[in-house]
Amino acid sequence: MWQRLMRIDRRWIFLAIGLVVASPFIFGWSLPLGRPSPPTKALFDFIEKLPPRSAVMIAFDYGPASMPELQPMAVALARHVLSRNLRLIGISLYPQGTSLCQQAFMKAASEYGAKEGVDWVNLGYRPGYQSVVLGMGTDLTKVYRADHKGTPISELPVMNGIRNYDDIALVIDLASGATPGMWIAYAGARFHQTLAAGITAVMATDYYPYLQSGQLIGLINGLKGAAEYEVLINKRDLAALGMTSQSIAHLTIILFVILGNIGYFATRSQQRPMGGGQRAR
Amino acid sequence: MPAEAASAAHSLPPLVDLIGIWLAAFLTLAIYSFLYGDNPVYKFAEHIFVGVSAGYFVVIAYHEAIINDLIKPLFRPQEVGLERPAYSLIIAGVLGLMILARFIPRYDWLSRWPLAFLFGLGAGVSIPANIHGIVIPQLRETIRPLLVPGDWWTAFSNVLLAGGLICTLFYFFFSVEHKGALRYVARTGMFFLMVGFGAGFGNTVMARLSLLIGRIEFLRYEWWPTVVELFHRLVG
């Protein structure tokens, strides 16, 4: 039986994972979410303590390929910021980030009656990575002269009094690449800007050291972190919904790993030649 | 979202959105068809993805970089809030054009100058920033007291951090043969590395599943309601 199991076509595994992930959406299953992790809670608490009309900047440094993990974070953060009567500024160092920012902000703004240009703004994409991050430390209005629709910064009430990082309480980098490191090196170290990050789970282990060193005040890790943030703001959405699938799929994978290992050791002992085998030769 | 999906089941989105949703659903299923085996539908979707991504990037970069950062400041300065043309951008424009000389074999040496400028600028900006902002703060964070009276958990964590750092660094120190007691130090370093790789792999599994979950959420809450609604309308 084990030998047959070890020769199983991998497509059966794909099918099993697909069914397991889809099942909660088909049958409406729901598992409870655990307590939010300290890095997510730290970011939530920081935003909670900001005085009204403080400016929070979210950098959309990802494309559609990372949407399932990062877009729920963006929506949850935008909801939190706007519900607290803070000013919300979106920028992007990735070309595709502009439209993702607009989607997230519009969704959150429609729920809280927040007005574009007054409570929130999408400044759009600027090419140049480091030059954009460094430039905003000196004079943001020279890097972004207008929002993504072409409205001059001077005509946007939301940007009143915002000249550089001194006027921005927090920058959150939602990233699928190496941009958090760049924000830390340029905006954090050079301009002492308070930073947090929302990252894909693949990157998580790379960025926990920055949390420990205090260079990031909070960190949202993948879909799990997004679900935690949705729970914290008491607005469960796609991330919380997806976590049931995530949990069941993880259990299934653990089961497969255990079965695979049992099968490996069982078939290895059956295949071992009598009398020492190759070593005796 | 499920509530939105339920209401969406009784009405179809505008035609343009409907076409977009069906196209996205088709491309999603086409990409996942690779799990069964390589096939022309998958290739078609893959080529569309690569082409659209490249096209989108070129258009955005042209509009945001060339038009907004070069053409407008030079020829239409008032549109970007400048009083007079920014003539210094001519140097940047010429350097940019010189990169295109790579396509002309006779003059391809011209492209080395702007590349040298870019490398020099990049290194000059990033090396001090990374040492000051990444390397030194991270090094400083590893120097912690190993004895913390009254807080044994913190002391244990600090010892683990210091031990892990020293052993892992020693694993990559090849000037001394790893034998005797040093072998155990290197092996401990390898153990810490394995724990790190395990954590990284676990997070990778979670990330990949999240992508699948995202697509299934799209199919279930955006595409499937339109399928049901269209079926009802067709059947009556």
Side-chain angles (χ1 to χ4, degrees):
Chain A
M1 181 192 103
W2 288 112
Q3 280 185 340
R4 202 173 154 195
L5 192 70
M6 295 304 287
R7 286 199 303 270
I8 192 171
D9 190 331
R10 68 169 65 180
R11 286 175 290 196
W12 288 109
I13 309 275
F14 299 153
L15 182 65
I17 294 293
L19 289 174
V20 159
V21 170
S23 298
F25 297 107
I26 297 167
F27 302 113
W29 298 340
S30 179
L31 289 174
L33 284 165
R35 273 196 313 178
S37 59
T40 310
K41 183 78 167 50
L43 175 55
F44 173 83
D45 290 341
F46 187 90
I47 294 176
E48 277 288 296
K49 287 173 189 160
L50 289 175
R53 300 303 288 170
S54 297
V56 175
M57 178 181 275
I58 301 180
F60 285 73
D61 298 338
Y62 63 95
S66 304
M67 264 183 86
E69 284 187 280
L70 299 177
Q71 196 71 355
M73 282 182 209
V75 174
L77 285 164
R79 280 172 171 156
H80 190 202
V81 169
L82 293 175
S83 71
R84 297 266 307 123
N85 190 26
L86 305 170
R87 287 184 284 175
L88 182 60
I89 302 163
I91 66 157
S92 178
L93 303 178
Y94 277 35
Q96 302 98 325
T98 305
S99 53
L100 300 178
C101 172
Q102 193 69 12
Q103 276 181 28
F105 284 10
M106 281 181 72
K107 184 173 181 180
S110 65
E111 294 167 11
Y112 297 98
K115 289 180 183 162
E116 186 170 7
V118 178
D119 303 301
W120 64 276
V121 65
N122 176 8
L123 295 179
Y125 163 72
R126 297 297 294 134
Y129 297 106
Q130 292 99 326
S131 58
V132 175
V133 177
L134 283 170
M136 286 195 295
T138 315
D139 190 350
L140 189 146
T141 57
K142 282 188 177 164
V143 180
Y144 284 100
R145 295 190 183 94
D147 72 355
H148 83 292
K149 290 178 178 172
T151 311
I153 292 284
S154 56
E155 293 174 19
L156 295 167
V158 68
M159 296 300 290
N160 278 351
I162 296 177
R163 186 167 176 81
N164 53 37
Y165 291 131
D166 293 342
D167 310 308
I168 297 170
L170 173 68
V171 173
I172 307 164
D173 185 27
L174 301 182
S176 61
T179 50
M182 198 181 66
W183 280 98
I184 290 166
Y186 298 109
R190 184 156 175 186
F191 295 103
H192 308 293
Q193 172 63 50
T194 307
L195 297 170
I199 51 175
T200 58
V202 177
M203 302 155 58
T205 47
D206 292 342
Y207 288 97
Y208 274 106
Y210 299 108
L211 197 67
Q212 196 172 354
S213 64
Q215 290 169 285
L216 294 175
I217 57 106
L219 187 71
I220 310 181
N221 176 8
L223 193 71
K224 178 178 174 287
E228 289 171 350
Y229 213 91
E230 286 179 359
V231 170
L232 283 167
I233 62 168
N234 204 18
K235 197 100 181 174
R236 288 174 182 241
D237 203 347
L238 285 176
L241 204 66
M243 280 313 291
T244 300
S245 288
Q246 186 88 261
S247 301
I248 299 173
H250 284 186
L251 284 174
T252 310
I253 290 169
I254 291 168
L255 183 72
F256 284 157
V257 170
I258 293 169
L259 282 175
N261 276 277
I262 293 172
Y264 170 73
F265 284 109
T267 52
R268 192 178 72 159
S269 62
Q270 284 168 15
Q271 285 172 357
R272 187 177 291 164
M274 299 292 285
Q278 290 180 343
R279 193 175 287 178
R281 198 152 33 139
Chain B
M1 193 69 186
E4 290 171 23
S7 63
H10 301 290
S11 63
L12 283 175
L15 185 64
V16 175
D17 291 346
L18 186 68
I19 292 170
I21 289 170
W22 273 76
L23 197 61
F26 166 72
L27 291 172
T28 298
L29 296 172
I31 289 290
Y32 277 119
S33 71
F34 183 77
L35 294 174
Y36 185 78
D38 202 357
N39 62 77
V41 180
Y42 165 76
K43 287 281 181 207
F44 173 72
E46 188 187 32
H47 292 163
I48 283 184
F49 176 72
V50 173
V52 168
S53 299
Y56 186 83
F57 181 80
V58 167
V59 168
I60 294 285
Y62 173 77
H63 183 76
E64 296 293 337
I66 295 175
I67 298 294
N68 283 349
D69 284 350
L70 185 67
I71 304 294
K72 282 184 180 177
L74 266 177
F75 301 107
R76 301 196 295 268
Q78 285 80 13
E79 285 186 27
V80 287
L82 296 174
E83 290 175 5
R84 51 182 172 273
Y87 292 115
S88 60
L89 290 176
I90 292 172
I91 300 169
V94 170
L95 283 170
L97 285 172
M98 283 164 73
I99 288 185
L100 299 177
R102 286 190 77 83
F103 298 114
I104 311 164
R106 195 172 165 192
Y107 298 106
D108 66 347
W109 56 273
L110 276 172
S111 65
R112 290 180 202 150
W113 292 7
L115 287 175
F117 176 78
L118 279 177
F119 291 150
L121 183 75
V125 169
S126 67
I127 291 172
N130 277 288
I131 290 172
H132 177 63
I134 304 282
V135 179
I136 292 174
Q138 287 300 311
L139 273 176
R140 193 169 50 214
E141 197 51 32
T142 59
I143 304 166
R144 290 174 163 220
L146 300 182
L147 286 173
V148 186
D151 190 353
W152 297 107
W153 180 248
T154 303
F156 172 74
S157 297
N158 293 353
V159 169
L160 198 67
L161 177 71
L165 177 75
I166 291 165
C167 294
T168 306
L169 284 176
F170 186 77
Y171 178 77
F172 293 103
F173 185 68
F174 304 115
S175 297
V176 176
E177 195 176 347
H178 295 174
K179 62 182 183 184
L182 295 178
R183 181 166 164 262
Y184 294 103
V185 177
R187 282 199 157 248
T188 309
M190 192 176 72
F191 171 77
F192 276 101
L193 281 171
M194 290 299 163
V195 171
F197 293 151
F201 182 68
N203 274 304
T204 304
V205 170
M206 190 165 87
R208 300 300 176 240
L209 278 173
S210 301
L211 301 183
L212 175 61
I213 289 167
R215 286 294 80 199
I216 288 177
E217 280 176 339
F218 163 76
L219 292 173
R220 172 67 183 85
Y221 296 124
E222 289 188 53
W223 176 64
W224 186 248
T226 67
V227 176
V228 173
E229 181 60 20
L230 283 173
F231 178 78
H232 282 308
R233 288 189 186 192
L234 285 172
V235 174

